[in-house]
Amino acid sequence: MKTDELVTALSRHLEPVDRGLIRRTVGLAVAVAIIVAFSVMALWLGVRTDFVTAYAAAFLIAKLAFAVTVISIASVYLIRLSSPGGERGRPAFWAFVPFAATILLAAVSLGSAPSSHWNRMIVGDEWLECLLSIPVIAIVPFVVLVWAVRRAAPTNLVRAGAFTGLVAGGVSALAYALHCTDDSLPFIAVWYGGTILLCTIAGAVLGPRLLRW
Amino acid sequence: MTTPETELKALMLASQSGDAAAHRRLLERLSRHLRAYYKRKLASFGKGATEAEDLVQEALLAIHIQRHSYDPAELLTPWVHAIARYKLIDFLRRSRTSRADVPIDEADDIMANDDHVATENSYDIRRLIEKLPRNMQYAIGAVKLEGLSVAEAARRYRLSEPAIKVSIHRGLKALADLIAKEVKS
């Protein structure tokens, strides 16, 4: 078939397009990812039962707020990156803000505590569980998000992959926060921030393979 | 030199709202820009007009399938360029022509020249359509190739109109995948 025949064929009986399709597809995937992550966390680890105390409730809210901010900002970038040329002229500055803010708050919190407490504040009780759980819970959400982004047309697959990993990591941290009983800002900065970063790197590495269209 | 941005963007907006004539003009104009772009880029990899035409068809199909992803708040040229360049890099990777990086180019490169001398390309889309699952084949054959309306195609194959539309949409995506496989081997 010659190119002008292809043009003719493609122009026959044209349907109007739905411009909001990518936004809705990625948005739906984020919602499904959150539901999946909560289910895995609840069945596998169980929800913490001690958040009735004000102290625990405050940290639960801090963790949830951090994760929700990461997810919201990263999802906006991911929607843009899912369209051709969406990576153009947009440094991902805002994606770093929740991490920088958490590190800053962690530093302030360490500064106001005696140095003998630092080890406990940073390492906590369950650092290993956190290190393993967030990436593991992120797997299925990541698959769901990859499915959505693949239906669109990202043209920078490394960056689109990184943001897919970032959203998946954020979603996983959101779910894990309901289980986690380590209540300190340095713990959130190091283990939540670090594992979400791991998910982001994994996404960037896998992006070129998984997101081709 | 004026860039075709304004004119092509107007065509794209009309095409997005379902104007078939505008869509046709848009694809015709873009095919010339794509041809000039690919001939120039492929020359440095020792590939000729046939491969360039392969890529023109791949890019046109991608532009058609993904036209909903164009945001009217943005310029059209970078959107077209992103697809054209993506398909070029994908082609070079598939055909293992070169490990070398594709030189960075500006979005305006895509509109810089046009070339209306279409050559034969290496695969035949008509033959590839025959490899699609039956419903997709019927829907694309009736509506896109024969020019029947969706309603007529639905009556002929005893399918619903939405089923025909979905089959066309999925079929074109599947066709794009088949082309990618074809060009690799």
Side-chain angles (χ1 to χ4, degrees):
Chain A
M1 186 188 280
K2 288 196 172 127
T3 302
D4 56 352
E5 292 174 274
L6 175 66
V7 168
T8 307
L10 292 178
S11 307
R12 285 197 179 111
H13 299 291
L14 200 69
E15 296 284 327
V17 299
D18 175 359
R19 284 191 189 122
L21 187 64
I22 293 181
R23 200 171 52 238
R24 270 187 286 109
T25 309
V26 175
L28 177 71
V30 173
V32 171
I34 290 173
I35 294 169
V36 169
F38 275 129
S39 313
V40 172
M41 181 278 304
L43 293 174
W44 180 37
L45 300 170
V47 178
R48 72 185 287 186
T49 47
D50 64 343
F51 55 76
V52 281
T53 69
Y55 185 77
F59 277 98
L60 176 64
I61 290 167
K63 289 170 196 167
L64 294 179
F66 170 64
V68 166
T69 314
V70 169
I71 296 167
S72 312
I73 297 173
S75 300
V76 172
Y77 280 110
L78 184 59
I79 288 168
R80 285 182 177 168
L81 286 169
S82 297
S83 292
E87 65 277 15
R88 194 174 149 271
R90 288 195 190 93
F93 167 77
W94 289 103
F96 295 101
V97 170
F99 294 93
T102 309
I103 289 168
L104 199 70
L105 290 172
V108 170
S109 136
L110 282 178
S112 61
S115 57
S116 57
H117 286 194
W118 287 5
N119 190 38
R120 167 140 188 86
M121 287 167 82
I122 296 171
V123 178
D125 292 320
E126 300 284 3
W127 66 273
L128 184 61
E129 186 195 71
C130 178
L131 178 64
L132 296 174
S133 300
I134 291 184
V136 170
I137 297 172
I139 293 173
V140 181
F142 181 72
V143 172
V144 173
L145 290 161
V146 163
W147 168 85
V149 176
R150 268 178 67 95
R151 293 175 68 91
T155 48
N156 185 331
L157 302 188
V158 173
R159 210 188 288 192
F163 275 85
T164 308
L166 179 58
V167 176
V171 165
S172 176
L174 181 71
Y176 182 72
L178 288 176
H179 166 77
C180 168
T181 50
D182 278 300
D183 295 328
S184 88
L185 288 170
F187 187 91
I188 301 175
V190 173
W191 303 107
Y192 281 57
T195 46
I196 295 174
L197 182 68
L198 273 182
C199 296
T200 309
I201 294 169
V205 171
L206 294 171
R209 280 178 197 202
L210 298 180
L211 298 176
R212 282 183 64 202
W213 49 279
Chain B
M1 192 185 72
T2 55
T3 58
E5 168 69 33
T6 328
E7 223 176 312
L8 292 178
K9 182 168 175 172
L11 289 174
M12 176 54 125
L13 296 183
S15 149
Q16 282 189 327
S17 51
D19 180 340
H23 190 61
R24 190 188 172 125
R25 295 252 311 131
L26 176 73
L27 293 186
E28 273 168 1
R29 294 273 310 265
L30 288 180
S31 67
R32 290 188 220 164
H33 290 301
L34 289 165
R35 190 172 294 119
Y37 175 79
Y38 284 135
K39 277 187 182 169
R40 198 166 69 241
K41 295 289 167 189
L42 287 178
S44 55
F45 295 97
K47 300 274 183 184
T50 309
E51 286 87 356
E53 204 64 29
D54 282 352
L55 273 168
V56 170
Q57 294 198 2
E58 260 198 80
L60 283 177
L61 194 55
I63 287 166
H64 175 83
I65 294 170
Q66 300 296 344
R67 66 189 189 283
H68 66 277
S69 73
Y70 170 65
D71 175 0
E74 309 271 337
L75 292 171
L76 179 67
T77 304
W79 182 86
V80 173
H81 176 255
I83 292 181
R85 185 173 161 78
Y86 178 84
K87 286 292 172 189
L88 173 67
I89 293 169
D90 197 51
F91 168 82
L92 291 172
R93 228 174 56 106
R94 275 184 272 136
S95 56
R96 296 179 200 285
T97 309
S98 168
R99 292 249 147 230
D101 283 336
V102 184
I104 302 221
D105 48 13
E106 297 294 321
D108 288 338
D109 274 19
I110 192 75
M111 301 301 181
N113 296 298
D114 65 12
D115 186 336
H116 66 276
V117 189
T119 28
E120 291 289 334
N121 68 315
S122 70
Y123 52 82
D124 183 16
I125 285 184
R126 238 177 253 280
R127 191 176 53 75
L128 291 176
I129 289 172
E130 287 167 14
K131 292 187 182 175
L132 293 174
R134 195 174 295 166
N135 279 3
M136 297 179 189
Q137 213 183 104
Y138 287 167
I140 293 177
V143 176
K144 295 294 182 186
L145 299 181
E146 284 180 56
L148 296 186
S149 71
V150 173
E152 287 165 334
R155 266 200 302 282
R156 183 197 281 181
Y157 295 111
R158 298 206 169 90
L159 292 165
S160 68
E161 290 188 30
I164 294 283
K165 287 181 192 173
V166 168
S167 293
I168 293 173
H169 185 71
R170 294 207 180 135
L172 291 178
K173 280 194 157 181
L175 181 63
D177 292 342
L178 282 179
I179 292 174
K181 282 201 196 104
E182 186 82 3
V183 175
K184 183 164 74 183
S185 49

